[in-house]
Amino acid sequence: MKILVCISKTPDTTAKIAFTDNNTKFSEAGVQFIINPYDEWYALVRALELKESLGATVHLVTVGGADTEPVIRKALALGGDEAFRINADSQDSYYIASQIAAHARQQGYDLVFTGKETIDYNGSAIGGMVAELLELPFVSIAAKFELNGTTATINREIEGGEEIVQVELPVVVSCQKGMAEARIPNMRGIMAARTKPLTVVEPVAVEPLTSIVSFELPPAKAGVKMISPDNVEELVKLLHEEAKVI
Amino acid sequence: MSVLIFADQFQGKIKKAAFEAVQYGAKVAQQAGTTATAIVLGEADNAELAALGNYGAQKVLQVADARLNEIDSSVGAKVIVAAAEAENAQVIILSHNFDGRAIAPRVAARLQAGLVTGAISLPDTANGFTVKKTVFSGKAFANVNITSARKVITVMPNTFPLEKTDATATVEAFQAPVSDADFKVKATSVETVSGEIPLTEAETIVSGGRGLKGPENWGLVEDLAKALGAATACSRPVADSGWRPHHEHVGQTGLTVRPNLYIAIGISGAIQHLAGVNGSKVIVVINKDPEAPFFKAADYGIVGDAFEVVPRLTEAVKKLQ
Ligand SMILES: Cc1cc2nc3c(=O)[nH]c(=O)nc-3n(C[C@H](O)[C@H](O)[C@H](O)COP(=O)(O)OP(=O)(O)OC[C@H]3O[C@@H](n4cnc5c(N)ncnc54)[C@H](O)[C@@H]3O)c2cc1C
Ligand SMILES: Nc1ncnc2c1ncn2[C@@H]1O[C@H](COP(=O)(O)O)[C@@H](O)[C@H]1O
């Protein structure tokens, strides 16, 4: 079995969000980059568990410049077997998905895992697009994935509940919490990652369909109104009369 | 030309998020001087379908096919694309809810249409077709221009308050071009958390953190929630410790919620928690530590012991009603 895990690079969850160039670019100054948490904790680790229990090969793919290599190496250190970096700026969801689909078409995978969404762009789009481009079934926002032969049983979140679905491989799945427990790379993994293959692939020609014109920061809060713990009636009154939310 | 909106149903009931998407789509149609058509997949009763007119749909297409009651994203996208062709829709709107997030990217890729997910503004057509969305988990917004002729937008739930009118829609049957072989993903069971309000649709949320010390104390949160008609949520360590079910976890790695009122009890306000709740209109923080970072993101705050403050607050809320 061959599994592809889509890995994206995102700013650390505590990074300060600021913009430069007239609010058209994210300011990377002083920002630490990590593997997008959904990709690492859930998609990658579940793929590694399947590898350990069923003997799969786990490939990683990222669309990005050379600056994404530390993140890809970390994913290799966690246990990925082989990585592919598609050498292009990630322009928009359609562009990225087209690159991943082109790679997947060439390699042929039984299973493609993505994260639920990137924590910077918050697209929730790549997985579904890759599935459509590959004409494969897609199960979104999965919290559990079990495999029995070539039949996958997947729990997927819906409004106010959960749906359990069955699908035959190959399939594309976007992963969230519940899929697996986060791991940390060990020394042996880190050493091994240095010599694992990381192939740089040139992108296919695709036109992006959207572009970011500008960024904005939310308006600052007016400041918190403090209320005495002995006067909760005041809070109820404010919520009712001033904020009008109860 | 027209605007097509996917109006999501669950067990025959149109979701609140779907009404919001229809209302958004109707406004986009109005901007463009065209009409709004909603499409409903699966069985739903006629009164539900006609109610879509209350939010601006002129026409409702229904595919009353029991196989579509649960969503297979691939079939859903196929039907929506067929309807978009039939209606000559240039703009296709879905909710940024679970089904919308599964289907929209497929529709967009199939039509080679630019996609903006989680829209929080109507399109600005003064100079292109620019839609505002949240990025960096609510810590910023991006204005995204869709450059393709066709456009797909998913609308952030709980962002556009519903304005109900008396207008009604005409309901037409739509013949979906699907065969049994198209259904690859089969739902074997659907579990709902019965009696509770889905967090993503809740207008009021009471949320508890580690400050509540243990699951045995959750009656405090539940009583206040009950008095307010609110849903309950929690911070990540609370769900990780098994004090509360996972689906209640909000934040960076959990659900993103946008209620009118979010009451945080015994939650410190870590940046990853705020990422899931910073879209709330009003935030109330109850914490015994005056230095808790959450106060910086709050509108109203009480420094005090949750075990004393919350029961009193619950009583005061009950008195109001
Ligand atoms: C990559 C990453 C992703 C994460 N994602 C999430 C996420 O999605 N959601 C999330 O919530 N967290 C997330 N976290 C964890 C986050 O960083 C915090 O650790 C977590 O939110 C803290 O939860 P808490 O506020 O309940 O607990 P604590 O930080 O322990 O805070 C407890 C609070 O309760 C107060 N308190 C104690 N006793 C009382 C009392 N009697 N009355 C009133 N107040 C009291 C304390 O003063 C304190 O402020 C993530 C972390 C990382 C690294
Ligand atoms: N540049 C990228 N390279 C590889 N995979 C990506 C990239 N961007 C996003 N993904 C994958 O697609 C998922 C969803 O991303 P998004 O649709 O941008 O929210 C992520 O969790 C990743 O698994």
Side-chain angles (χ1 to χ4, degrees), chain A:
Chain A
M1 187 167 69
K2 245 169 109 179
I3 306 176
L4 179 67
V5 181
C6 302
I7 299 283
S8 53
K9 176 191 114 172
T10 56
D12 178 56
T13 54
T14 56
K16 182 171 171 355
I17 307 303
F19 303 101
T20 60
D21 293 17
N22 212 2
N23 284 330
T24 57
K25 266 210 189 79
F26 174 62
S27 167
E28 299 197 352
V31 171
Q32 282 238 21
F33 285 91
I34 57 170
I35 307 177
N36 186 46
Y38 294 108
D39 310 356
E40 175 183 341
W41 299 356
Y42 310 124
L44 176 57
V45 175
R46 187 70 190 115
L48 296 174
E49 289 172 356
L50 293 171
K51 166 181 160 174
E52 287 152 9
S53 59
L54 307 165
T57 307
V58 175
H59 282 187
L60 313 171
V61 67
T62 194
V63 181
D67 57 340
T68 56
E69 291 198 358
V71 155
I72 270 277
R73 285 279 173 214
K74 183 179 175 202
L76 286 170
L78 281 161
D81 295 303
E82 192 174 343
F84 299 84
R85 176 171 72 79
I86 301 172
N87 188 28
D89 284 342
S90 42
Q91 308 223 26
D92 80 338
S93 313
Y94 182 70
Y95 181 88
I96 298 170
S98 302
Q99 302 303 333
I100 295 172
H103 167 79
R105 220 174 266 125
Q106 204 183 27
Q107 288 278 336
Y109 294 103
D110 303 292
L111 195 52
V112 178
F113 277 161
T114 72
K116 161 182 147 181
E117 66 182 39
T118 47
I119 64 167
D120 52 1
Y121 186 66
N122 303 131
S124 277
I126 305 281
M129 285 187 177
V130 169
E132 186 63 32
L133 294 168
L134 294 174
E135 294 176 47
L136 290 182
F138 172 54
V139 179
S140 66
I141 319 198
K144 202 165 165 226
F145 180 98
E146 297 298 339
L147 201 56
N148 188 347
T150 56
T151 308
T153 303
I154 306 170
N155 294 35
R156 99 172 246 270
E157 194 158 355
I158 55 173
E159 271 74 35
E162 204 174 52
E163 193 176 81
I164 301 174
V165 300
Q166 282 196 339
V167 58
E168 286 296 305
L169 299 189
V171 60
V172 180
V173 180
S174 80
C175 307
Q176 71 154 337
K177 187 176 136 133
M179 286 288 276
E181 290 296 330
R183 294 180 176 184
I184 42 173
N186 58 28
M187 211 46 201
R188 208 156 52 97
I190 295 167
M191 298 301 286
R194 292 193 185 149
T195 54
K196 283 180 181 168
L198 191 169
T199 310
V200 178
V201 183
E202 287 311 312
V204 293
V206 179
E207 284 301 315
L209 305 171
T210 62
S211 70
I212 294 182
V213 183
S214 61
F215 291 101
E216 290 169 28
L217 290 172
K221 282 250 173 192
V224 51
K225 217 175 241 185
M226 297 305 291
I227 293 136
S228 155
D230 300 320
N231 195 6
V232 292
E233 290 74 20
E234 174 70 10
L235 175 63
V236 172
K237 191 166 162 239
L238 286 167
L239 292 176
H240 184 58
E241 290 173 8
E242 184 180 77
K244 297 189 169 62
V245 289
I246 63 173

Side-chain angles (χ1 to χ4, degrees), chain B residues 210 213 235-236 249-253 266 268 272-273 287 305-306:
Chain B
R210 214 145 50 173
K213 308 285 186 291
S235 68
R236 178 161 149 228
H249 154 201
V250 296
Q252 184 101 70
T253 43
S268 58
Q272 296 94 355
H273 185 83
N287 196 303
D305 186 340

Side-chain angles (χ1 to χ4, degrees), chain B residues 272-291:
Chain B
Q272 296 94 355
H273 185 83
L274 296 180
V277 305
N278 52 16
S280 310
K281 281 174 205 87
V282 173
I283 295 180
V284 173
V285 170
I286 300 170
N287 196 303
K288 70 172 184 188
D289 175 8
E291 302 295 319

Side-chain angles (χ1 to χ4, degrees), chain B residues 154-178:
Chain B
T154 66
V155 181
M156 192 65 112
N158 278 5
T159 305
F160 301 92
L162 288 174
E163 302 150 18
K164 196 172 175 180
T165 69
D166 294 333
T168 52
T170 57
V171 179
E172 289 176 14
F174 182 72
Q175 291 306 329
V178 292

Side-chain angles (χ1 to χ4, degrees), chain B residues 110-146:
Chain B
R110 208 178 172 104
L111 292 172
Q112 292 197 20
L115 169 67
V116 175
T117 55
I120 58 162
S121 81
L122 282 169
D124 177 353
T125 51
N127 197 351
F129 191 98
T130 306
V131 183
K132 189 186 292 194
K133 76 174 297 252
T134 50
V135 289
F136 296 100
S137 308
K139 288 173 242 170
F141 307 118
N143 294 303
V144 186
N145 186 22
I146 306 183

